[in-house]
Amino acid sequence: MGRRTAARNRVLEVFLDHIRDAGGGEVEDFMVVAPRGGDSQGVTGVAVLPLLDGEPASDAGDCRRVVLLRVFRHPIAAFTWEVPRGFVDAGEQPAAAALRELAEETGYVCEPAALHELATIEPEPGILAARTRLFVARHCRAGGGPREAEPGHAGLHVLPVAAALALARDGGVREACTLIALLRLQLEGDD
């Protein structure tokens, strides 16, 4: 197998590989996109579902809410509903990256003990050399600092858990990390 670097920026590298399989099949310029950071297990990204506590409505039992971002994504030329997410820096542990991304993208914080792993996924293993660790951050509170402005981020929305699950069920949430995080939350009986 031969590999050459096609492009590189601060966080990603794009490789063109010449690959052959055991049956003699061959592909020239097979594209692989790889984040430049990550941990020793190949976790290069994190996504975190923030849960806020609150006062129950007069007739509602569940008072918890989730924080979702509305983000314009250039590659698909569309807005998406997403949980806060980002890259794991070199030498950074995924849990620390999740807490950092939570604060940077939402202005919310949680205690490290309130951060729980939901799953590790491989978002698109046919082209991405990446694993994303999904977390839920319980008992989040305002962190006192302003959110960092990021290109494409069009707003932060606080929704009741049931409304976020309905948005996912009805096709309003299509981004994989967010869908899986909401599904895992529901499957674990934490909705």
Side-chain angles (χ1 to χ4, degrees):
M1 177 172 92
R3 170 170 275 188
R4 62 187 167 93
T5 303
R8 168 184 294 150
N9 67 17
R10 185 178 62 81
V11 295
L12 296 170
E13 290 182 288
V14 179
F15 301 106
L16 297 176
D17 292 349
H18 187 142
I19 59 175
R20 288 186 188 101
D21 66 15
E26 188 172 354
V27 178
E28 291 186 35
D29 294 337
F30 185 93
M31 186 182 299
V32 176
V33 178
R36 296 182 75 181
D39 73 356
S40 62
Q41 297 166 346
V43 175
T44 56
V46 294
V48 57
L49 177 63
L51 287 178
L52 309 177
D53 298 324
E55 296 299 318
S58 59
D59 62 346
D62 189 1
C63 55
R64 291 169 314 128
R65 299 162 291 147
V66 298
V67 177
L68 295 180
L69 302 170
R70 194 73 172 142
V71 182
F72 182 81
R73 292 297 183 187
H74 173 76
I76 62 170
F79 282 94
T80 62
W81 287 104
E82 298 182 15
V83 294
R85 60 194 194 124
F87 292 102
V88 176
D89 293 334
E92 185 178 36
Q93 291 300 309
L99 293 171
R100 176 180 52 76
E101 289 293 340
L102 173 66
E104 287 175 2
E105 293 191 2
T106 69
Y108 287 97
V109 297
C110 81
E111 296 299 323
L115 184 72
H116 301 280
E117 183 179 329
L118 292 172
T120 299
I121 65 169
E122 295 165 347
E124 180 49 61
I127 192 169
L128 297 177
R131 290 185 177 92
T132 301
R133 179 121 341 124
L134 307 180
F135 294 91
V136 61
R138 293 182 172 90
H139 314 295
C140 291
R141 65 187 183 290
R147 291 183 10 219
E148 285 189 12
E150 289 197 29
H153 284 215
L156 180 138
H157 300 269
V158 178
L159 303 167
V161 170
L165 291 171
L167 189 63
R169 183 182 55 247
D170 297 340
V173 175
R174 294 182 304 275
E175 190 276 318
C177 291
T178 305
L179 278 171
I180 295 168
L182 288 168
L183 176 63
R184 288 299 299 259
L185 183 74
Q186 185 177 37
L187 288 174
E188 292 179 9
D190 199 5
D191 64 321

